[in-house]
Amino acid sequence: MATVSKPPSNFSYLLLLLLLQFHLGKSQLQLNYYSSSCPKAEEIVSEQVKQLYNKHGNTAISWVRNLFHDCIVKSCDASLLLDTHGDIISEKTSGRSFGMRNFKYVNTIKAAVEQECPLTVSCADIVALSARDGIVMLGGPSIEMKTGRRDGRESYVAVLEENIPNHNDSMDLVLSRFESIGLDVEATVALLGAHSVGRVHCMNIVQRLYPSVDPTLDPKHAEYLKKRCPDPNPDPKAVQYSRNDLGTPMIIDNNYYKNILQHKGLLMVDEELATDPRTKPYVENLAADNDYFHQQFSRAILLLSENNPLTSDQGEIRKDCRFVNSI
């Protein structure tokens, strides 16, 4: 007796549409997207990134962090850059955005691009391109970044905390979150290599130091950290921090993996990365070969930067990255 196939449920149909939209958006990104509409766009972004780096070296780290915070939450659509205005509550107000800075210099880059090509280059692409160029300034790999993203018109502050893993979250949760946006385990381990640069505020370290030192932390490194963070209740507004990597703090390299294998990571996620059986083999491989780390880091950055972008007639091209365009 012949069987009659049932029509897909509404849920299945909706899921299919969402998946189609996701893959369509990724496919519409392309290299040199602005070659006709704004040929100098990428050159202008690169020059601005270099100038800002020469004046304020830490801007390069901000560009990398911006890409992560923008793309892991729903879409690479520059929602991160929106200020609180009208019905929009800025994502910058979330505790997960603690320590992020240099947003004003994104406006510097955008203004330079706008002068050349008004309302042509999206803020979302500026986030991606500045991260690409910031990585190079930090001694990391040169990455061929696709463009063609458009800017969203809403903030995702209401769901931000459930999208961005916390530094104390379990490895199960961390891997699950990254898998949901298309990063496999090795790509996740490679992406966390961004902890090779920058610094961590004492607020996010003291849980491993007080009232007693975390036994998984190297004792000598713990002594150093207690000097950097002598107060178990640090003032969030005070400049109290430790560098992620004391050896090469401004270079994206595989020292991060060497450090965490020696139990010198600052955050619990660093320690878990080096000890969890699912991630440790990748940590060891990346620690052994800096070129291989750069290859995998490039792959991870590209996967992150192509998460569910708005393309074609979706969203808009903001004139000012801080605000949606007037309707």
Side-chain angles (χ1 to χ4, degrees), residues 30-34 38-47 113 121 129 132-133 145-147:
Q30 57 188 268
L31 295 174
N32 303 311
Y33 176 83
Y34 297 105
C38 189
K40 294 184 178 179
E42 295 194 24
E43 178 185 340
I44 292 170
V45 173
S46 294
E47 184 57 35
V113 176
V121 180
L129 292 171
R132 177 198 67 180
D133 296 330
M145 183 76 71
K146 293 180 180 179
T147 45

Side-chain angles (χ1 to χ4, degrees), residues 45 50 114 121 124 139 163 188 227 246 269 283 292 295 299:
V45 173
K50 290 176 185 175
E114 282 293 303
V121 180
N163 280 264
T188 299
K227 291 177 182 177
L246 301 181
V269 69
V283 171
Y292 184 66
Q295 292 172 15
R299 183 173 74 90

